Amino acid sequence: MKVVACMTVMWVLASTAGAAAQDTKPAQATADALIQAIVAKNFDAFKALCASKVQEEHAKNPKNCKITRWWDSAQKELTEHKATWVYKAVKSNYPKNVTLTYTRSTDSGETAVDIGVILEGDKWLVDSAGSL
């Protein structure tokens, strides 16, 4: 029995160790473009980088949706606190779903901000942006 359990564990470890991690550069490029749109104050570019379900939410209720909240929060940080965002690391890397951590620096200090990016068809789009 111990041999079967040990062999099963070894098989699972071997099968997961051989799996190649997905390239996160395209997801990071999308998140970087989102930050650039914030800094450039280009709302249309910002919105275009968001996932379709987030855009649908915006179409139904533009005054109270994720896109508006993310945009307003980021613009406030940028204007009132001179915010800058710098890529820090990949927080999670799942098939078709990557979470990237950015450091937001303001006049009052630094904080980590996670941006979730998902693969829709052949495009990486922002699905979550926490408190930009």
Side-chain angles (χ1 to χ4, degrees), residues 25-35 49 102 117 123-126:
K25 294 293 182 199
Q28 183 184 342
T30 297
D32 288 345
L34 187 82
I35 299 298
L49 292 165
Y102 284 73
V117 186
K123 287 182 169 182
W124 286 96
L125 298 169
V126 175

Side-chain angles (χ1 to χ4, degrees), residues 3 18 32 39 46 60-61 63 76 93 98-99 113 124 130:
V3 172
D32 288 345
V39 173
F46 178 87
K60 290 177 185 174
N61 187 1
K63 293 186 184 219
K76 180 178 179 182
N93 182 3
V98 175
T99 302
V113 176
W124 286 96

Side-chain angles (χ1 to χ4, degrees), residues 111-124:
T111 189
V113 176
D114 291 337
I115 298 177
V117 186
I118 61 171
L119 186 61
E120 284 189 7
D122 62 348
K123 287 182 169 182
W124 286 96

Side-chain angles (χ1 to χ4, degrees), residues 42-105:
N42 186 341
F43 180 75
D44 291 333
F46 178 87
K47 187 172 82 169
L49 292 165
C50 293
S52 59
K53 71 177 185 176
V54 179
Q55 289 190 33
E56 289 169 12
E57 178 191 37
H58 181 265
K60 290 177 185 174
N61 187 1
K63 293 186 184 219
N64 186 22
C65 66
K66 290 178 182 175
I67 289 176
T68 301
R69 286 193 299 271
W70 298 339
W71 177 261
D72 290 347
S73 172
Q75 290 304 311
K76 180 178 179 182
E77 291 296 322
L78 184 64
T79 304
E80 294 179 14
H81 302 287
K82 301 171 185 68
T84 59
W85 293 264
V86 176
Y87 171 75
K88 183 176 179 183
V90 174
K91 183 174 185 177
S92 64
N93 182 3
Y94 297 104
K96 301 182 180 185
N97 185 342
V98 175
T99 302
L100 305 155
T101 301
Y102 284 73
T103 300
R104 182 185 67 212
S105 301

